Amino acid sequence: MKPRKKGQQFEISYRCPGYDKPFYERFPSYEEANLRIAQIEYEKSIGVFQPPKPVPVPVRTAKKKYITVSDLMDEYVQVYGLNHWGDSFLSNSRHRIEHYIKPYLGNVAVKDLTTHDLDVFYDSLQDKPAVILKGHKKTDATVSLSVIEKTHALLRSALNQAVIWEYIPNNPADRVTLPKYRPQTRAVWSSSEAQRALDCCSDPVLYIAMVLALGCSMRIGEILGLTWDCVDYSDESIAEGTAHVLINKELKRCQKDSLADLDRRGRSKVIFTFPEWKRTASTTSLVLKSPKTESSIRTVFLPRTVALALREVKETQDALKMLIGAEYADYGLVIAHEDGRPYEERQIAAMLRALIEEHDLTPVVFHSLRHCSASLKLQISSGNIKAVQGDTGHAQSRMVTDLYAHTHNEDRRRLAQKVEEDFFQKRQAETKKAAADEASIAYQLLQENPDIAKLLIAALQKQSS
């Protein structure tokens, strides 16, 4: 066994027991090759020789020099979205990608995408017809400014990842000029309007949903997903003021493909999937799932009226179970149809719209009741934001003050009256008192000094003449 020169290196070959093919090794010098031969021969002589372990060859992935916006968005969802987003945001993002981004920018190379391209894209979207999802009410509306803003946020985030992945040196979406968008102020009932709505409501299902939203600041999904094992309305707890509900899940209709993708990543929050009652195939599933954030899992203490209302609902449900027996599908839900099946958000929304129309109430959506509840609790608690935050389940207290604290004309009129009483009337009273004090002092001085009084009277007579 001797070294052989191969180009600029020296190669040796040898065989090893148990292997059919010879092994080859190369060294930069003749001496190193001979040294390796001596090592092999020595190890063979003492019976410890083993062939060298194969050195892994580094795999070089060809850097993508040409990737389209469509390719980027697919990779962004797969690599980033499935590891960070919840099912709702995942479904909404896919909708915007497929219906707004890909049809207009999908074939554009990411490296060629400019800020001007994006400015033109967002401007043109305002004239495009809005894509209506299946099951939603059809309209002839164009793409709203709100959708454009959310599409931009999604595209900007994807392009940020493109910078991180070194597809592009900088993000062209950072310098765009979006169409002017002013979010509409949500209409919210005052406390007196909310009380009137409860007085007008004769539907027991809508009534208990409204009571939970107003009394406990619960979201509609949390209300519909509330189960009896998370409710305490015993006589003792009501008497002690500790009656409460544990909010640890929500009922929601979700896209099946999004649920399946998150489940494959081990990120599914689904606790229970309800059976499908429709015979036709559906792309969605009705599920009970864990809340999106840890702060949403909370215990909310019940006002006495709410606790008694829940007790009445439970008694009615128990009577129904006994009446229809095995036909009752018992999922343990607080709010359920007469056969035990769950209600959905759209059904409660329709009930509320009917109530508003029938009794000429201020038009609001159901989520506005949560705003009304937070505003009411802020007023009652004299601005105890942390206590209200505990009931609403927000991770940040500013969400309570920025989004959920509403001021009504009734409150503003009371504020104006308070300013009148504590500032203007108080100031006038102090001015009158000061004038009276000065007159009293002057009178006393005149009594003590009659000569000064005579001089003043003479001066006044002279002035009048």
Side-chain angles (χ1 to χ4, degrees):
M1 182 167 51
K2 292 183 179 181
R4 292 178 297 176
K5 190 165 185 178
K6 292 285 185 180
Q8 298 297 319
Q9 293 185 318
F10 294 86
E11 183 182 79
I12 63 172
S13 64
Y14 54 88
R15 291 186 176 275
C16 185
Y19 292 87
D20 295 333
K21 295 182 179 181
F23 289 89
Y24 297 90
E25 291 186 53
R26 290 187 179 186
F27 301 89
S29 67
Y30 185 84
E31 290 76 14
E32 287 179 77
N34 271 328
L35 184 62
R36 174 59 176 156
I37 291 172
Q39 181 185 10
I40 292 171
E41 290 176 346
Y42 172 72
E43 289 178 354
K44 282 184 176 181
S45 67
I46 62 175
V48 297
F49 176 71
Q50 290 182 348
K53 294 180 180 180
V55 178
V57 178
V59 179
R60 289 189 177 183
T61 56
K63 189 173 180 180
K64 298 179 182 177
K65 296 181 179 179
Y66 181 87
I67 181 172
T68 64
V69 172
S70 180
D71 296 332
L72 172 65
M73 299 310 296
D74 289 341
E75 186 177 13
Y76 171 65
V77 171
Q78 188 68 25
V79 177
Y80 181 87
L82 293 181
N83 292 316
H84 293 83
W85 300 339
D87 60 275
S88 288
F89 194 82
L90 177 59
S91 298
N92 291 333
S93 297
R94 280 175 164 166
H95 167 69
R96 294 184 185 111
I97 290 170
E98 295 302 321
H99 295 105
Y100 296 123
I101 296 177
K102 284 188 177 181
Y104 306 106
L105 296 176
N107 293 328
V108 178
V110 173
K111 65 182 182 63
D112 295 333
L113 191 65
T114 66
T115 302
H116 177 259
D117 293 333
L118 294 175
D119 280 338
V120 172
F121 167 58
Y122 296 136
D123 183 69
S124 66
L125 270 186
Q126 298 178 77
D127 301 321
K128 304 297 182 184
V131 178
I132 308 300
L133 296 177
K134 185 179 179 181
H136 290 245
K137 186 178 179 181
K138 290 187 177 181
T139 65
D140 295 327
T142 55
V143 179
S144 69
L145 296 180
S146 173
V147 170
I148 294 174
E149 188 176 73
K150 291 172 182 176
T151 301
H152 164 66
L154 178 64
L155 192 51
R156 180 180 179 182
S157 179
L159 290 169
N160 275 336
Q161 285 301 125
V163 174
I164 294 171
W165 293 333
E166 298 182 357
Y167 290 151
I168 50 177
N170 52 61
N171 188 344
D174 287 339
R175 302 180 297 277
V176 301
T177 304
L178 285 175
K180 192 79 171 178
Y181 168 60
R182 291 182 181 178
Q184 293 182 349
T185 303
R186 187 188 297 275
V188 178
W189 283 337
S190 64
S191 57
S192 59
E193 288 176 311
Q195 289 169 348
R196 178 169 172 251
L198 288 175
D199 293 339
C200 295
C201 183
S202 58
D203 188 309
V205 172
L206 178 60
Y207 179 82
I208 192 63
M210 291 173 62
V211 163
L212 286 169
L214 291 166
C216 303
S217 309
M218 294 173 68
R219 303 174 178 91
I220 183 59
E222 296 168 342
I223 294 170
L224 298 178
L226 183 64
T227 51
W228 289 115
D229 60 332
C230 296
V231 180
D232 177 13
Y233 53 70
S234 64
D235 292 334
E236 296 79 12
S237 62
I238 293 177
E240 295 171 1
T242 57
H244 65 273
V245 293
L246 171 62
I247 303 169
N248 60 3
K249 54 189 172 298
E250 60 181 351
L251 185 143
K252 196 173 180 184
R253 183 164 286 281
C254 306
Q255 291 289 331
K256 289 181 179 178
D257 56 352
S258 295
L259 293 177
D261 287 341
L262 292 177
D263 185 49
R264 282 192 290 270
R265 291 295 175 94
R267 298 187 61 241
S268 174
K269 293 193 172 187
V270 174
I271 300 169
F272 176 75
T273 302
F274 291 95
E276 295 185 10
W277 291 281
K278 290 184 178 181
R279 294 183 180 179
T280 56
S282 174
T283 59
T284 61
S285 292
L286 190 63
V287 301
L288 279 177
K289 59 188 289 289
S290 303
K292 183 173 64 174
T293 60
E294 290 295 327
S295 61
S296 293
I297 300 175
R298 63 201 188 276
T299 296
V300 179
F301 293 103
L302 298 172
R304 178 183 174 83
T305 298
V306 181
L308 294 177
L310 284 168
R311 177 182 291 179
E312 186 176 340
V313 171
K314 187 67 167 69
E315 291 171 354
T316 303
Q317 266 193 23
D318 289 342
L320 273 172
K321 290 179 188 179
M322 292 189 64
L323 183 64
I324 65 176
E327 296 297 319
Y328 190 90
D330 193 358
Y331 299 109
L333 296 170
V334 172
I335 295 182
H337 285 275
E338 293 182 351
D339 60 356
R341 288 186 299 112
Y343 275 90
E344 294 193 43
E345 180 179 347
R346 57 182 174 78
Q347 295 171 307
I348 302 297
M351 292 179 186
L352 180 61
R353 285 196 300 271
L355 176 71
I356 290 170
E357 292 175 4
E358 182 180 355
H359 297 281
D360 196 26
L361 301 170
T362 302
V364 297
V365 297
F366 192 88
H367 192 73
S368 297
L369 275 63
R370 178 170 153 87
H371 288 243
C372 176
S373 174
S375 299
L376 177 64
K377 289 179 179 180
L378 280 174
Q379 295 172 14
I380 293 173
S381 65
S382 301
N384 189 338
I385 297 173
K386 297 304 290 185
V388 178
Q389 181 188 357
D391 275 7
T392 59
H394 285 104
Q396 297 178 341
S397 58
R398 68 175 183 82
M399 290 290 291
V400 176
T401 54
D402 292 353
L403 296 180
Y404 286 84
H406 294 264
T407 304
H408 301 280
N409 288 336
E410 182 180 338
D411 304 323
R412 295 168 66 192
R413 283 195 295 269
R414 284 201 295 266
L415 182 62
Q417 184 177 357
K418 191 72 174 173
V419 171
E420 172 68 20
E421 294 172 356
D422 292 357
F423 180 72
F424 290 109
Q425 290 185 6
K426 184 177 180 180
R427 178 174 174 272
Q428 292 171 4
E430 290 175 349
T431 302
K432 289 180 180 179
K433 184 177 182 301
D437 291 344
E438 290 176 358
S440 177
I441 293 171
Y443 180 73
Q444 185 177 353
L445 287 173
L446 290 174
Q447 282 187 325
E448 293 174 356
N449 300 279
D451 293 338
I452 294 176
K454 290 178 181 179
L455 289 173
L456 286 172
I457 293 170
L460 290 171
Q461 288 175 343
K462 184 177 180 181
Q463 185 177 2
S464 60
S465 62

